[in-house]
Amino acid sequence: MEQITIKEIAKLCGVGVSTVSRAMNNHPDINEETKQKVLEIIKKYNYVPNNSARNLKRSDSNTIAVLIKGITNPFFSDMIQVFEREAKKKKYSFVIQHVEEFEDEIDVAIQLEKEKRLKGIIFLGGLSSHTEEKLKQISVPVVISTVDVPNLKGKFACVAVDDEEESRKLVNYLCSLGHKRIALLAASKEDASIGMKRLKGYRRALEENGIPYDEGLVAWSQDRIPTYSMENGYGLTKELMESGQEFTCIYAVSDSIAVGACKALFDAGKRVPEDCSVAGFDGLDLAAYYQPSITTIHQPRREMAEAAIRLMFDLIKEKPVEKRQIFQAELVVGRSTRRLP
Amino acid sequence: MEQITIKEIAKLCGVGVSTVSRAMNNHPDINEETKQKVLEIIKKYNYVPNNSARNLKRSDSNTIAVLIKGITNPFFSDMIQVFEREAKKKKYSFVIQHVEEFEDEIDVAIQLEKEKRLKGIIFLGGLSSHTEEKLKQISVPVVISTVDVPNLKGKFACVAVDDEEESRKLVNYLCSLGHKRIALLAASKEDASIGMKRLKGYRRALEENGIPYDEGLVAWSQDRIPTYSMENGYGLTKELMESGQEFTCIYAVSDSIAVGACKALFDAGKRVPEDCSVAGFDGLDLAAYYQPSITTIHQPRREMAEAAIRLMFDLIKEKPVEKRQIFQAELVVGRSTRRLP
DNA sequence: TTGTACGCGTTATCAT
DNA sequence: ATGATAACGCGTACAA
């Protein structure tokens, strides 16, 4: 298949390449007639301009990118929709870039920025550590979403909830129901991001309630299974039950994990919450739709997404902004937890 | 921020640009010493080559792309993972391209092919109609996944289940349980793709069982809500109940919708399956994890993904292939359906 | 209003 | 082994 280029279109139209270019890009200085003729030929020959060449030549681009670590995470679904809608509203084009588990999201960002002449970058998920230093290699505005990064300077900002505090709030609630042996389905031991913060909140709540922290009640995720999956919750809960530990409540660091936990309990002939309470985190739709509905911390994802994109536009326009927006999450009490008799 | 280019790196190293290029791309004709020196400087100055320029110059690229319509659909999650793994195994690089609801996936494909010098394209979802003619504008191998397209020629192939037949199988099973008034939660009326096929299967099964098709039992999805969502299932079921129609069973064209239906039933004080049976389609993890587990048609997504990527590589190598691979799906009976007394 | 020619940052070809 | 230099396909001054 021959690659048809702008030159050949020009030749076919009997005009210069610049005229073709003008026709495509809605430039003002062009005769309406010739424009129509050119567009006709373009359509007829199914000519599509090469984006790489465009990106190379252009210096700006009105494109913002969202880099997502864990694109399969339903938590991000709503947020993506908000980004798409708002970007379109502002006539920005919008690209989603999936970052694989093993990839360094900042490297990907740096590369993409050059490739597409981005106007800004939004991170969704990931960004566990190693930030600061490397982030500076990005020269466009950056909004980090879902993870709280203190001391951001310059054209960086973040939108998040206080994972540790919200986690503490939830576990505190569980304690208030009389639970003393609360198992934790944690992220992997290496996790230095939100998984760890939620763990910290768990420990603080226990401490405040005079309950000793018991390693035996913590089930750590393995790396071979996606952490935030129902499957993982199922496996961890099974392990926990087989370990012979006694517990009256399970707190999973995400709703998907919590659902897996419920299933494992059901399969073992237990009832939720009569035999064991279960709580999650995130406030996915799933938590509300599950039977029984899952007690969880609901993050205001749509609002957070709206804030993130607004922050992005403000940073682009160099307006002054609040660089660290921490949202209040909401404790949603479902039917999966109950007061200990 | 100054854009640092290969020229400046060359200058800094005291060598020519071609030497820098050779160092980066692991070319054989280069002195190991100079190579190391160049790489050092590159690292020191955080130089990252511009991908657009690369793509522009390169003629091939060993990249395959997956175009996904509905990236938030959990059905695709597993499949994506398979693609990533297999592509890496074969030393191919792999890009995921999200296609927005209103976008024409073929247009996106054509553009991306030129931009990235793709070796092949896999479609996931979408591709409802208008194919054939336009598809020909793509000049690399194409594998269409999840939707059955007959009469594919040349470098095109597809992997799918027989949606109509599987749907018929499921509804037939529901009939065998004694259900005569089976409500259908359908895709939108305009849907010409799998939604319609599943509808057809529903109608055929009814016919075979001597049950008249009743428009009143069909709830059509509206376009303002994502069709394959729990929220949609909830809304449709509520409508259905409010319409005063009698039914003993609900068949949703996807598991997410089915879960939403269950929730609506629960909220109305009904039990599943005692007061109403519920069945879905797809065989998502969710169906197995839900309480009660959802009776569904399980599509072998991993196998389908493996077949798709294998097909892709074979097409690239111009090996002869079976261009239309229809997989057998499995009726999984859950606890959400029961025999009518 | 239109066409010519240059440059965007790379890679690859060809001398050296 | 290395360095000029010509493409790659497009946008855009600048000249006409």
Side-chain angles (χ1 to χ4, degrees):
Chain A
M1 191 82 160
E2 292 300 316
Q3 278 293 359
I4 180 161
T5 73
I6 195 174
K7 273 188 192 167
E8 323 195 30
I9 293 292
K11 211 167 288 174
L12 286 162
C13 296
V15 301
V17 290
S18 36
T19 304
V20 178
S21 177
R22 279 189 266 263
M24 292 192 300
N25 300 311
N26 288 319
H27 268 270
D29 304 355
I30 184 173
N31 185 305
E32 186 61 27
E33 254 180 79
T34 50
K35 178 171 174 178
Q36 289 312 321
K37 199 178 97 188
V38 169
L39 290 178
E40 203 177 313
I41 300 277
I42 285 180
K43 177 152 269 174
K44 179 173 169 195
Y45 285 84
N46 293 317
Y47 164 66
V48 175
N50 182 314
N51 246 322
S52 286
R54 282 189 146 164
N55 291 332
L56 186 56
K57 183 62 193 174
R58 285 198 218 276
S59 43
D60 70 321
S61 85
N62 268 16
T63 302
I64 78 167
V66 176
L67 270 66
I68 308 180
K69 198 143 193 176
I71 202 163
T72 64
N73 190 334
F75 186 81
F76 299 142
S77 301
D78 287 338
M79 302 185 74
I80 294 176
Q81 283 173 21
V82 171
F83 294 149
E84 280 181 341
R85 173 166 46 81
E86 295 301 314
K88 195 180 308 166
K89 220 182 266 178
K90 301 257 188 184
K91 305 282 186 192
Y92 271 73
S93 55
F94 177 75
V95 312
I96 294 177
Q97 172 76 34
H98 167 62
V99 181
E100 296 188 37
E101 198 53 53
F102 64 94
E103 281 182 305
D104 182 317
E105 51 267 58
I106 304 193
D107 285 343
V108 176
I110 294 168
Q111 213 173 311
L112 200 65
E113 180 199 338
K114 300 204 177 186
E115 177 175 344
K116 306 256 186 185
R117 314 284 191 190
L118 298 178
K119 267 286 201 321
I121 299 173
I122 297 179
F123 286 98
L124 224 49
L127 251 309
S128 48
S129 45
H130 66 276
T131 52
E132 306 302 323
E133 182 63 16
K134 244 188 150 179
L135 266 178
K136 283 188 193 151
Q137 291 177 43
I138 303 180
S139 50
V140 293
V142 169
V143 175
I144 300 167
S145 190
T146 283
V147 33
D148 176 23
V149 184
N151 305 323
L152 250 23
K153 309 193 234 339
K155 55 201 171 1
F156 299 97
C158 70
V159 174
V161 300
D162 185 338
D163 282 279
E164 181 176 338
E165 169 58 19
E166 301 295 348
S167 177
R168 189 197 65 77
K169 191 160 85 185
L170 173 62
V171 176
N172 199 41
Y173 169 72
L174 298 174
C175 291
S176 79
L177 295 179
H179 293 283
K180 297 207 183 318
R181 295 197 60 76
I182 303 172
L184 176 70
L185 308 188
S188 86
K189 265 187 173 161
E190 290 73 36
D191 181 296
S193 185
I194 55 174
M196 195 189 57
K197 289 184 185 163
R198 292 174 190 177
L199 165 64
K200 273 191 186 166
Y202 166 80
R203 296 192 63 160
R204 266 185 46 212
L206 291 186
E207 201 174 320
E208 289 172 19
N209 286 273
I211 300 172
Y213 171 72
D214 180 353
E215 266 282 357
L217 284 175
V218 179
W220 301 96
S221 299
Q222 303 293 321
D223 276 333
R224 53 191 173 72
I225 295 180
T227 301
Y228 298 94
S229 67
M230 299 184 277
E231 187 189 355
N232 187 34
Y234 188 87
L236 292 178
T237 304
K238 255 190 125 175
E239 275 176 32
L240 213 52
M241 289 189 295
E242 284 164 5
S243 76
Q245 289 284 345
E246 297 281 333
F247 49 88
T248 62
C249 181
I250 294 178
Y251 164 39
V253 293
S254 123
D255 292 332
S256 315
I257 304 178
V259 164
C262 288
K263 180 70 174 173
L265 290 167
F266 294 142
D267 283 2
K270 312 234 182 219
R271 293 161 303 166
V272 176
E274 291 80 357
D275 299 317
C276 182
S277 290
V278 173
F281 199 108
D282 279 344
L284 298 183
D285 287 353
L286 180 58
Y289 279 92
Y290 199 70
Q291 189 69 10
S293 56
I294 309 279
T295 295
T296 188
I297 292 288
H298 181 84
Q299 300 194 49
R301 343 191 244 296
R302 303 194 82 86
E303 288 80 356
M304 288 166 74
E306 279 158 13
I309 191 83
R310 201 179 318 124
L311 218 38
M312 182 84 265
F313 291 130
D314 286 349
L315 285 170
I316 291 175
K317 286 178 192 146
E318 298 188 317
K319 287 189 194 169
V321 299
E322 192 174 337
K323 326 177 68 56
R324 189 182 174 201
Q325 304 194 357
I326 305 300
F327 279 72
Q328 201 74 18
E330 186 190 357
L331 170 63
V332 177
V333 176
R335 299 181 174 281
S336 66
T337 49
R338 67 153 195 169
R339 179 176 303 282
L340 227 45
Chain B
M1 191 81 162
E2 293 300 316
Q3 279 292 359
I4 179 161
T5 74
I6 195 174
K7 276 187 191 167
E8 321 195 32
I9 293 293
K11 210 167 287 173
L12 286 163
C13 296
V15 301
V17 290
S18 27
T19 304
V20 177
S21 177
R22 278 190 268 263
M24 293 192 300
N25 299 309
N26 288 318
H27 269 271
D29 307 355
I30 185 173
N31 185 305
E32 185 61 27
E33 254 180 78
T34 49
K35 178 174 174 177
Q36 289 312 321
K37 200 177 97 187
V38 170
L39 291 179
E40 204 176 311
I41 300 276
I42 285 179
K43 177 152 271 173
K44 181 173 167 194
Y45 285 84
N46 292 317
Y47 164 66
V48 175
N50 182 315
N51 244 324
S52 286
R54 281 189 147 165
N55 291 331
L56 185 57
K57 181 60 193 175
R58 283 202 222 274
S59 42
D60 70 322
S61 86
N62 269 15
T63 301
I64 78 169
V66 176
L67 268 69
I68 307 178
K69 199 142 192 174
I71 201 162
T72 63
N73 190 333
F75 186 82
F76 298 142
S77 301
D78 287 337
M79 301 185 76
I80 294 175
Q81 282 172 21
V82 171
F83 294 149
E84 280 181 341
R85 173 165 47 80
E86 294 303 313
K88 196 182 306 165
K89 220 182 263 177
K90 301 257 188 187
K91 306 284 187 190
Y92 272 71
S93 55
F94 176 76
V95 312
I96 294 176
Q97 173 74 38
H98 168 62
V99 181
E100 297 188 36
E101 198 53 53
F102 65 93
E103 282 183 305
D104 181 318
E105 51 268 56
I106 304 195
D107 285 342
V108 176
I110 294 168
Q111 213 173 311
L112 201 65
E113 180 200 339
K114 300 204 176 187
E115 177 175 343
K116 304 258 187 186
R117 314 284 190 188
L118 298 179
K119 267 287 202 321
I121 300 174
I122 296 177
F123 286 98
L124 225 49
L127 252 308
S128 47
S129 45
H130 67 277
T131 51
E132 306 304 323
E133 183 62 19
K134 245 187 152 180
L135 266 179
K136 283 189 192 149
Q137 292 177 42
I138 303 180
S139 50
V140 293
V142 169
V143 175
I144 300 167
S145 190
T146 280
V147 33
D148 176 23
V149 185
N151 306 323
L152 250 22
K153 308 192 234 337
K155 52 198 174 4
F156 299 98
C158 71
V159 174
V161 299
D162 184 339
D163 282 279
E164 182 175 337
E165 168 58 20
E166 302 295 346
S167 178
R168 190 197 62 79
K169 192 160 85 184
L170 173 63
V171 176
N172 200 40
Y173 169 74
L174 298 175
C175 291
S176 80
L177 294 180
H179 293 283
K180 297 208 183 317
R181 294 196 60 77
I182 303 171
L184 176 70
L185 308 189
S188 88
K189 265 186 173 161
E190 290 73 36
D191 180 296
S193 185
I194 55 174
M196 196 191 54
K197 290 185 185 164
R198 293 176 189 174
L199 165 64
K200 274 191 186 168
Y202 165 80
R203 297 192 62 160
R204 266 186 46 211
L206 290 186
E207 201 173 319
E208 288 173 18
N209 285 273
I211 301 172
Y213 171 72
D214 180 354
E215 265 283 357
L217 284 175
V218 179
W220 302 97
S221 299
Q222 303 293 322
D223 276 334
R224 53 189 174 70
I225 294 179
T227 301
Y228 299 95
S229 66
M230 299 183 279
E231 186 190 355
N232 187 33
Y234 189 87
L236 292 180
T237 304
K238 255 189 125 176
E239 275 176 33
L240 214 51
M241 289 189 295
E242 284 163 6
S243 77
Q245 290 284 345
E246 297 282 332
F247 49 88
T248 62
C249 181
I250 294 178
Y251 164 39
V253 293
S254 123
D255 293 332
S256 315
I257 303 178
V259 164
C262 288
K263 180 70 175 176
L265 290 167
F266 294 141
D267 283 2
K270 313 234 180 218
R271 291 161 306 164
V272 176
E274 290 81 357
D275 298 318
C276 182
S277 289
V278 174
F281 198 109
D282 281 343
L284 298 183
D285 287 353
L286 179 58
Y289 279 92
Y290 199 69
Q291 189 67 11
S293 57
I294 309 278
T295 295
T296 188
I297 292 288
H298 181 85
Q299 300 194 49
R301 342 191 246 295
R302 303 195 82 85
E303 288 79 356
M304 289 166 74
E306 280 158 13
I309 190 86
R310 201 180 318 123
L311 218 38
M312 182 85 266
F313 290 131
D314 286 348
L315 285 171
I316 291 175
K317 287 177 192 148
E318 298 189 317
K319 288 189 193 170
V321 298
E322 193 174 336
K323 324 177 71 57
R324 189 182 174 200
Q325 305 195 357
I326 305 299
F327 279 72
Q328 200 75 20
E330 185 191 358
L331 170 63
V332 177
V333 175
R335 299 182 174 280
S336 66
T337 49
R338 68 153 194 171
R339 179 177 302 282
L340 227 46

